[in-house]
Each structure stands twice: as structure tokens, then as C-alpha cells.
Amino acid sequence: DWSSDVCSSDLVFDGSTTVVPLLEAGLVEPYAPPSAAAIPERYRDPQGRWNAVLLEFLTIGYDARKVAPADVPKKREDLLDPKWRGKMIWSASPGLTGGAGFVAHTLADMGETAGLAFLSELRKQEITPHPGDGHAVIGEMAKGKFPLGLQIFNHHTFIERSKGHDIRWVKMEPILSFSNNMGLVKGAPHPNAAKLFIDFALSPEGQAIIRDGRHIPASDKVDALELDLKQGFRINYVSPVTAAEKMIGWLAAYRRIFE
């Protein structure tokens, strides 16, 4: 729209890094609605240009029909057990939800030297890359094709269990997290309506709609449908700015090691 001097959008809603080029181009206008006060500070832009609407937590998922409680991986190194060779799956998508996100999280948590050494060993486990997203990966697990999935959205396991598939997630701390964010487009054709919508989306009422849609609300005032989907564990939160700055390097490392 802006390249043709026409703006038909009021809002930007971003799942990872799309908002960053808009921020850099000055196309997102600061707006801090009253309801944003209930969004934890880490999930808000310091300049007020975006606020998290919902949260994502990525971790290890397992098929409880195939993995005995004693065999559930408790720590990252457990994934190197020979019994898991050829039995793990992750998304090949070039973002935090795929193998590149696992690489990013490992390097952040373990440090570059130890992290790269671990990833080199993990490569020997012959993880299956799936061309789809995280939802497609857990779908393959629900079909009984893989006992373990990496970079699984923890709330997707809740959804799968509601369908009768006993897919569970592991609190392997810290858990990688990112947010889906909303902001006001500069020069929006309907700025007042857009502001009202943002305020509602972040309010307890709007966040309850997100919760009831089986997502994880960002507001401290609204819990997830299952309390442990949102609380009780340490996280490694990757902001949109951090993801945009480092994703090229993370993706290069993933491709160098695993492709």
C-alpha cells in the first residue's frame, strides 16, 4: 500500500518478524491503549508501537501412546539417546517454529560453543524435516507416525487431546517463546476504530475470546484454558526485533548443520 502512496490498512498483526521492516520504515504509529497496562512489559514495544495479543511457547512434544513416562525426555541431552534416532520430527519452515528456532534457542541457552557441539551430535539423530508448519508436525504425531516432535506449540497438545490424541508437552526449561503482536498503521484510514479495536483486543474481554479460541492470551488478567500452558516455567522470549536481527544467522546455522 505505502509503495503506491495508498494506505488501506488500519492495523498490523504480526506473528514473528513482519512488523520490524514496518517499524524501521516508520509505518507504525505509537499507541498505548489503557488495556496494555495488563500486558507484561517484556511483551510490549518500549516505544508503544506494538503490544503482544497472544503468546506462543515452543517445546518438546511426545505421543503418550508410544512413549512410556520413564522414557519422556527431561532435558535437551536426552534427545541424543540412540532410541530416538529417526523417530523425531520438526518443521523445516525458516522461522522460530522450525528447526532454525530450535537452533536459536539452543545457542541462546547453552552458549555458542556448547550449543554447536550439541547440535552436531543431534544431527546424527536424523530428525525428519516437515515442509509444513508446527500444526502439520503435531498432526503427523497425532497419526502415530512419530513419538517425538521438536518445536511443538504447547497449546496444540491441548487441542489434540480434545480430539482424542494423547499428545503431551515437556517443560524443558527454559521454553522458547514469541508473541503475536498488534499495532496501529501510521496514516490509517480509520484510526479511531483501529484504536478501539486494539484496546478491546488487549482488554480482559478481548483476551477471553482469544483464550476461548484455545490460544494463550498475553494479558496477566486472563489465564489459558489450562493454567500450566502459560505459567510455572522459565522462558526465553524472542522479541520481533531480536528475531529479525538474528534469524538469518540462525537459519544459516540450521542449514549448515542439518541440511
Side-chain angles (χ1 to χ4, degrees):
D1 286 355
W2 277 92
S3 63
S4 60
D5 296 322
V6 176
C7 179
S8 60
S9 301
D10 295 307
L11 300 169
V12 55
F13 183 68
D14 168 57
S16 180
T17 60
T18 308
V19 71
V20 175
L22 300 179
L23 297 177
E24 293 174 344
L27 301 181
V28 184
E29 185 173 321
Y31 173 59
S35 55
I39 307 299
E41 186 175 355
R42 71 169 72 180
Y43 303 134
R44 290 184 273 141
D45 176 46
Q47 299 179 45
R49 296 168 297 176
W50 57 265
N51 293 280
V53 177
L54 61 89
L55 307 177
E56 311 280 12
F57 299 106
L58 294 158
T59 186
I60 310 301
Y62 67 96
D63 185 345
R65 300 164 299 184
K66 295 180 175 292
V67 181
D71 291 333
V72 174
K74 304 297 191 301
K75 57 186 185 299
R76 187 181 286 110
E77 290 75 14
D78 293 341
L79 302 176
L80 302 180
D81 192 310
K83 68 172 170 279
W84 301 126
R85 183 167 296 160
K87 296 182 179 180
M88 294 185 283
I89 184 172
W90 59 17
S91 170
S93 63
L96 289 174
T97 62
F102 188 93
V103 168
H105 184 49
T106 299
L107 296 179
D109 186 39
M110 299 183 70
E112 185 168 353
T113 300
L116 289 174
F118 169 80
L119 293 168
S120 294
E121 291 300 309
L122 186 65
R123 181 182 186 277
K124 301 174 185 177
Q125 294 293 71
E126 301 174 3
I127 301 170
T128 296
H130 192 286
D133 58 11
H135 184 73
V137 169
I138 203 169
E140 293 294 285
M141 295 175 65
K143 295 174 185 176
K145 294 183 178 181
F146 295 90
L148 291 185
L150 310 186
Q151 297 302 91
I152 296 297
F153 293 94
N154 70 344
H155 71 284
H156 282 182
T157 66
F158 171 76
I159 295 171
E160 289 301 324
R161 290 199 307 278
S162 73
K163 300 175 183 177
H165 305 135
D166 198 5
I167 309 298
R168 301 182 178 272
W169 63 284
V170 182
K171 289 184 180 180
M172 192 176 289
E173 299 179 289
I175 290 177
L176 180 63
S177 174
F178 67 94
S179 54
N180 287 258
N181 313 299
M182 187 176 290
L184 176 66
V185 173
K186 185 177 182 179
H190 312 98
N192 293 328
K195 290 178 179 179
L196 287 173
F197 185 84
I198 293 172
D199 195 19
F200 175 75
L202 301 179
S203 72
E205 294 79 12
Q207 292 284 284
I209 292 173
I210 289 170
R211 175 203 62 203
D212 294 342
R214 299 190 291 189
H215 291 284
I216 300 177
S219 174
D220 275 344
K221 293 186 176 181
V222 182
D223 288 320
L225 287 176
E226 283 190 344
L227 294 181
D228 68 348
L229 290 173
K230 183 178 177 180
Q231 55 187 262
F233 49 85
R234 294 181 296 109
I235 69 168
N236 168 27
Y237 175 67
V238 179
S239 73
V241 173
T242 298
E245 289 175 347
K246 297 186 177 182
M247 184 54 68
I248 291 176
W250 293 334
L251 187 58
Y254 166 73
R255 290 171 171 164
R256 183 172 67 250
I257 297 169
F258 292 100
E259 292 185 350

